[in-house]
Amino acid sequence: MEEREVIVSVGAPAAIGPYSQAIRAGGLIFVSGQIPLDPGTGQVVAGGIARQAERALDSLQAILKAAGSGLERVVKTTVFLTDLGAFTEFNEVYARYFPHAPPARATVQVAALPRGVGIEIEAVALA
């Protein structure tokens, strides 16, 4: 049986439930959904969807770095928004983090997210 490795980064908020920030297995890194929490305080960042998207993507980036990977190695993301009306604003931020050959992506509207945030982003990347 292939081993799996738990990935932890201080550059991202600690898990707020019984899950790992990420798991490396089979040459892939599976990053849990990142919500816009300040890693130092554990509090939701102030600001609208653009600021929340930046914080979630910064956390995703920090976790991938801790795993020895990076945003350029992401193959798939799933984005959860509580308001698809913010899709264009979110896309502008997302495009800055994935400027070349962006990963496959699904974006869905959900009724609610933990801590009342407007966005959550999960990813799968090459190790």
Side-chain angles (χ1 to χ4, degrees), residues 4-101:
R4 64 185 207 121
E5 175 188 357
V6 173
I7 306 298
V8 178
S9 172
V10 296
I16 59 173
Y19 60 89
S20 299
Q21 287 177 328
I23 297 288
R24 181 192 340 253
L28 296 172
I29 301 162
F30 300 88
V31 183
S32 292
Q34 297 302 302
I35 63 174
L37 298 181
D38 180 288
T41 66
Q43 299 300 310
V44 174
V45 298
I49 195 65
R51 180 66 193 111
Q52 288 195 11
E54 289 169 347
R55 179 64 257 164
L57 288 162
D58 286 346
S59 294
L60 179 67
Q61 187 170 32
I63 292 166
L64 290 170
K65 182 177 179 182
S69 189
L71 291 177
E72 71 283 353
R73 296 187 54 84
V74 173
V75 296
K76 172 74 166 75
T77 61
T78 304
V79 179
F80 305 93
L81 295 172
T82 57
D83 178 10
L84 276 178
F87 186 75
T88 300
E89 188 177 359
F90 157 71
N91 257 347
E92 291 170 4
V93 173
Y94 188 88
R96 292 197 317 262
Y97 285 79
F98 297 102
H100 306 290

